[in-house]
Amino acid sequence: MSEAIEILALCCTGLYAGYMIAFQSGVMPALREADDASFTLVMRAVNRKVPGPLFLLLFLGSLAFPVASCFIAPDGRGGGATVLLSAAATSALVGHTITAVGNIPLNNALESSRGQGDERAARTAFESRWRVLHTVRTLFAVGAFVLTALAAVR
């Protein structure tokens, strides 16, 4: 059971970090080139579609499985691995907090601006703050994955 939880921790943190990196390195740079109306249209659609079942599994699992791994230790695992998993869980928690208090309110504000006719203002209020927050939460997601991977090889 404990090895399965550790594998799930590694998979969820890795897949979630990869998702965040793909958005950071592909989606947002592509949208930077879009006009205001296209940018806001796409981001609103993304914000409605992303919180689906698979994303939520990765989002929640990237925190829950490292935490669970701290408490369900396999025989012979040293304390160093538990410290790494605790750090991974903390990193995931910080990233999730950034999402909850930063990115999601910006997503909601962008959605609320739909139909008001000033897509430039909507983009301006959203894009730069969202990008900074996304960069920081991506770093925390990658950190959670690296720490989980290091714990797995201990």
Side-chain angles (χ1 to χ4, degrees), residues 15-30 134 138:
L15 290 169
Y16 182 70
Y19 177 87
M20 300 298 276
I21 289 169
F23 221 87
Q24 179 78 20
S25 65
V27 174
M28 293 311 290
H134 183 72
T138 298

Side-chain angles (χ1 to χ4, degrees), residues 13-110:
T13 58
L15 290 169
Y16 182 70
Y19 177 87
M20 300 298 276
I21 289 169
F23 221 87
Q24 179 78 20
S25 65
V27 174
M28 293 311 290
L31 284 175
R32 183 175 286 144
E33 298 175 10
D35 62 80
D36 297 333
S38 298
F39 176 90
T40 56
L41 175 75
V42 170
M43 284 306 299
R44 287 179 185 123
V46 167
N47 292 336
R48 285 190 301 273
K49 296 295 183 184
V50 163
L54 179 58
F55 177 81
L56 289 175
L57 172 66
L58 297 178
F59 181 77
L60 297 173
S62 68
L63 176 59
F65 290 123
V67 168
S69 293
C70 290
F71 296 103
I72 306 172
D75 294 335
R77 180 171 80 190
T82 301
V83 169
L84 289 167
L85 288 165
S86 295
T90 301
S91 185
L93 179 61
V94 171
H96 286 27
T97 301
I98 292 166
T99 298
V101 301
N103 294 89
I104 290 174
L106 288 171
N107 294 348
N108 293 341
L110 183 65

Side-chain angles (χ1 to χ4, degrees), residues 36-37 40-41 44 113-124:
D36 297 333
T40 56
L41 175 75
R44 287 179 185 123
S113 72
R114 185 167 37 162
Q116 294 182 4
D118 191 353
E119 297 305 311
R120 172 161 288 301
R123 181 179 187 166
T124 300

Side-chain angles (χ1 to χ4, degrees), residues 100-152:
V101 301
N103 294 89
I104 290 174
L106 288 171
N107 294 348
N108 293 341
L110 183 65
E111 184 64 31
S112 295
S113 72
R114 185 167 37 162
Q116 294 182 4
D118 191 353
E119 297 305 311
R120 172 161 288 301
R123 181 179 187 166
T124 300
F126 175 85
E127 185 176 16
S128 64
R129 287 183 59 213
W130 194 94
R131 283 179 189 273
V132 168
L133 292 168
H134 183 72
T135 298
V136 175
R137 70 182 178 166
T138 298
L139 292 172
F140 279 102
V142 170
F145 171 63
V146 169
L147 291 162
T148 303
L150 289 172

